[in-house]
Amino acid sequence: MTDSPVRVRFAPSPTGYLHVGGARTALFNWLYARKTGGTFVLRIEDTDQERSTDAHTRVILEGLTWLGINWDEGPYFQGAESPRHRADAERLLASGRAYRCFASAEELDAERKLAVAAGRPYRYERARWALSPEEEARRLAAGDPFVIRFAVPDAELAWEDAVHGRISFQGRDLDDFVILRSDGSAIYNLAVVSDDIAMRITHVIRGDDHVSNTPKQIALYQALGAALPVFAHVPMILGTDGKKLSKRHGATAVGDYQDQGILPAAMRNFLALLGWSPGGDREVLTGEELVGLFSLEAIQGKPAVFDTAKLEWMNGQYLSHTGADELLPPVMRQLDRMGVGAKGRDVRALIDAAKARSRTVLQLAEQVAVRLDASRIVLDEKAEKLQKKMGPAFGASLTVAAGALEALTPAEWTPDRLLEAVKHAAETHGLKLGDAMQPVRVALTGGTVSEPVNELLAVVGRDESLARIRAAMARTQDAAPA
RNA sequence: GGCGCUAUCGUCUAGAGGCCCAGGACACAGCCCUCUCAAGGCUGGUACACGGGUUCGAAUCCCGUUAGCGCUACCA
C-alpha cells in the first residue's frame, strides 16, 4: 500500500465558498503530494443536488489557484460516477454484505421521535425491519421503494491514524447505514469509498469531523475487497471564542482575505502553521521550505484558533520582503477600485516607500494613493493633535521648510539634498529636527507616520510637495484665531 | 444519552522521562535606535486542566475526573 506512488485528493462539496478550513486541508494534501512526489487529485463532491452550484465550484477552484495550490488530476465530478456507485452497492448486495430495507423515511423518523421523546437513544435495529424472503420478494415485485443498507460487521474497526495514532471503534456501536437511496443514488460514505478506490487514493487527508465516518468506510473497503488507504485526520479551525469557525466570526472564506489585501504566500504560510509545526522556532517559510519540512505526523491533534492578528503580522513580513514589481499588480487593482489613477508615475517607487509600514495590500494602496493624489489627504487624529499642540509653530515650521525647499532646483530634489536642506534650515532657525519634519509629514500625507521625510518629499515630487505645504500653510492660517 | 477525538502562556506552538522552577512567535508593556512610524535589538508578565499511579526522576508513560469539540440523517 504505502510503497505504491502517493495519490491524495481534496474533495470539497460545492455548497459554499472555500473555507479557510477547507483551504488548509487542501494545502496539507498538496504539501504531502509535493513532498512525496505524489499526485494531487481534485474531486468535486456535487452529489447534494440541492445545495451544489457551479458558481461555488468556480469560487473554490479560484481560491485554490490563488493560494498556489495546483492539482495534477481533475477536477473530477462525483455526480458523474453514480453508475459505479450503484454497481458497488449491487455487488455488496449480491455478496450479502448489504441488504434491502423497505422501512420508509417517515416510519424511521416517527420511531426516532418516539425514542427521543422517551429520553432513550435511538438505534436502527436490523431485526426490527427484517422481512421474510417471501415478503421481500412480494414487495420487490410490487415495486415498493427501498434503500440498500450496509450490514455493519460486529467486529473491531480500527486504523493507525497518521496524526492521531491508533483509533478504534466497535462495529456494534454503529447502525447499519444507508449506502443507496431509494432513488438509486449513493450516500456519501459509499460514494467516497467507491471513488477513492477507483482513483487509487493512497492517503486520505481530511477534516477531523470525518473520524466517525472512518470505521464505516473501513468496513466498506473490506467488504469491497480493497486495500485501506492511510487516514490522516486534521483538527478543526476554531474562532477566537473557541467555537468552530463560522460566519459569525467574520471573514472565513479565502476570498475574504484576498479582498482584505492578504498576499497568497502569507496566507499559505499562515495556514500551514495552523495545526502543523516544522519543529524548532521557524515561522516564516518559503513554499519550498514548507514542502521540504512537511510531515503528516507533525500535525497537531487538537483544534487551533484562527488568529487574524498573527495573519496580518505574517502578511506584513511578506509585504516588506516582496519586491515592488510583484506588488504592483495587486496594488494597481486596488487603486483602480479606489478610483485613483497613476498619472504616469512609477507606482513601484511609491510601493517601495510605503510597503514596510503596511500590513495589508489595502493599507499599502491607501498610502500609495495619498502620495499620488492630494485630495486623499485627511488629517488623522494624531496629526490634528500635533497641529493643535504646536499652535503657530506649526505654520512657522512649514514656512521655514518651504523656503528651504523652494531654493532647490528640480535636479537637486534628491533624498540626500533634501535632508541636507531641511537640516540646515532647522539649524539656522533654531528648530529641532523633529519640529521641522513633522509638520511637513502632516502636510504631505495627513498623518504623523511615514517613511523618512526627505524620502517622502522625493517620492511625492517637487511641485506637488511644495503645493501641499502651501496648502497646509493656508489651512493653518485659516484655522488660526484672528 | 452513546461513540470518538483533544487537553503547555490570551493565541499559534517547541517539547518524543532527566538538557525545562518549560523555549520561540503573535499580541501587550517598557527601553534602545530614530525627524515620526514600521523594521530591528533588549527587557518584562502570563502556561504544563485536575486527581491518582509507574519511576531514583514526568509537561512527557498509565488510569480516572473535568472541560471543549466532532459524529450519531434516504447531508457531505
Side-chain angles (χ1 to χ4, degrees):
Chain A
M1 166 94 290
T2 31
D3 28 304
S4 53
V6 167
R7 290 175 60 83
V8 297
R9 54 27 167 220
F10 176 56
S13 50
T15 54
Y17 299 106
L18 178 60
H19 241 247
V20 292
R24 191 193 52 169
T25 301
L27 177 61
F28 284 177
N29 272 284
W30 181 84
L31 286 171
Y32 192 65
R34 293 295 166 266
K35 163 93 180 188
T36 57
T39 304
F40 179 57
V41 179
L42 182 60
R43 181 173 77 221
I44 305 295
E45 306 207 325
D46 57 348
T47 48
D48 186 342
Q49 304 288 355
E50 246 110 88
R51 297 189 297 153
S52 298
T53 72
D54 291 346
H56 285 142
T57 300
R58 205 162 46 244
V59 169
I60 289 169
L61 300 194
E62 281 169 5
L64 292 175
T65 304
W66 178 72
L67 278 168
I69 298 175
N70 56 319
W71 50 95
D72 306 308
E73 281 185 25
Y76 297 122
F77 290 86
Q78 191 164 60
E81 308 299 333
S82 53
R84 189 190 60 243
H85 300 157
R86 207 168 310 138
D88 281 337
E90 296 291 346
R91 262 175 66 205
L92 259 12
L93 192 57
S95 65
R97 308 302 298 268
Y99 58 92
R100 295 188 185 87
C101 170
F102 286 86
S104 72
E106 292 72 34
E107 286 177 290
L108 260 15
D109 274 348
E111 295 231 332
R112 203 187 334 268
K113 282 211 185 80
L114 232 51
V116 171
R120 69 193 139 80
Y122 174 75
R123 292 289 311 260
Y124 171 87
E125 299 291 344
R126 195 182 299 172
R128 162 88 237 284
W129 304 97
L131 263 30
S132 67
E134 299 75 32
E135 178 70 358
E136 180 173 338
R138 194 189 61 72
R139 296 194 65 169
L140 202 51
D144 286 353
F146 62 87
V147 300
I148 295 181
R149 281 185 188 271
F150 182 70
V152 177
D154 182 8
E156 184 188 43
L157 296 163
W159 73 98
E160 191 66 29
D161 196 277
V163 345
H164 294 284
R166 184 181 156 82
I167 298 179
S168 159
F169 285 78
Q170 291 301 326
R172 73 178 71 92
D173 291 330
L174 273 30
D175 287 349
D176 285 352
F177 55 96
V178 174
I179 53 177
L180 206 69
R181 295 185 184 91
S182 47
D183 68 359
S185 63
I187 287 289
Y188 172 73
N189 281 306
L190 203 225
V192 168
V193 171
S194 179
D195 288 355
D196 284 342
I197 292 173
M199 294 174 186
R200 307 188 320 281
I201 299 303
T202 59
H203 294 69
V204 173
I205 304 167
R206 66 202 339 180
D208 236 354
D209 47 340
H210 287 289
V211 169
S212 35
N213 282 321
T214 307
K216 299 178 186 175
Q217 295 177 10
I218 285 177
L220 246 17
Y221 272 95
Q222 291 169 342
L224 254 9
L228 292 183
V230 171
F231 290 100
H233 289 96
V234 322
M236 310 270 83
I237 295 179
L238 273 23
T240 31
D241 56 357
K243 296 267 195 289
K244 191 176 167 188
L245 197 64
S246 74
K247 298 265 188 290
R248 288 184 307 108
H249 297 101
T252 53
V254 168
D256 293 338
Y257 291 96
Q258 182 176 5
D259 292 344
Q260 286 175 19
I262 298 296
L263 262 16
M267 189 74 191
R268 199 174 51 199
N269 194 158
F270 177 75
L271 247 22
L273 257 31
L274 211 53
W276 172 76
S277 159
D281 301 332
R282 319 200 54 184
E283 296 272 348
V284 181
L285 301 152
T286 66
E288 293 75 46
E289 289 173 321
L290 250 23
V291 169
L293 263 14
F294 188 75
S295 86
L296 260 22
E297 291 69 27
I299 294 174
Q300 197 72 221
K302 63 162 179 181
V305 174
F306 194 92
D307 182 5
T308 322
K310 189 154 184 178
L311 204 213
E312 291 195 356
W313 164 79
M314 178 84 67
N315 201 55
Q317 294 290 310
Y318 274 85
L319 236 26
S320 302
H321 299 135
T322 302
D325 284 333
E326 208 174 312
L327 259 17
L328 189 61
V331 168
M332 289 307 288
R333 261 196 301 281
Q334 186 54 29
L335 287 178
D336 214 47
R337 261 182 234 132
M338 294 162 65
V340 175
K343 300 180 189 161
R345 295 285 315 278
D346 181 8
V347 174
R348 283 173 302 187
L350 302 178
I351 290 175
D352 276 328
K355 68 179 190 180
R357 262 159 295 267
S358 306
R359 289 207 151 185
T360 67
V361 172
L362 257 45
Q363 290 172 9
L364 174 55
E366 188 58 52
Q367 287 309 307
V368 168
V370 168
R371 282 155 184 71
L372 230 34
D373 181 352
S375 75
R376 297 201 68 96
I377 296 178
V378 180
L379 285 204
D380 67 23
E381 218 174 287
K382 286 196 172 157
E384 296 262 24
K385 240 174 101 180
L386 178 80
Q387 192 171 326
K388 215 181 217 163
K389 192 177 148 212
M390 287 183 72
F394 188 89
S397 277
L398 286 179
T399 310
V400 168
L405 294 174
E406 265 161 359
L408 258 33
T409 66
E412 292 171 326
W413 199 264
T414 63
D416 286 351
R417 297 299 302 271
L418 284 162
L419 182 59
E420 209 176 285
V422 177
K423 264 188 175 163
H424 183 74
E427 266 166 37
T428 42
H429 289 82
L431 289 174
K432 282 195 288 188
L433 236 206
D435 287 341
M437 298 286 201
Q438 275 303 62
V440 174
R441 178 152 22 227
V442 169
L444 261 55
T445 66
T448 58
V449 171
S450 83
E451 64 272 37
V453 166
N454 57 320
E455 291 173 25
L456 175 64
L457 284 162
V459 96
V460 170
R462 184 177 190 275
D463 295 346
E464 181 67 23
S465 295
L466 259 17
R468 290 184 187 196
I469 291 170
R470 274 191 218 102
M473 284 164 64
R475 208 171 51 230
T476 45
Q477 253 153 33
D478 291 348

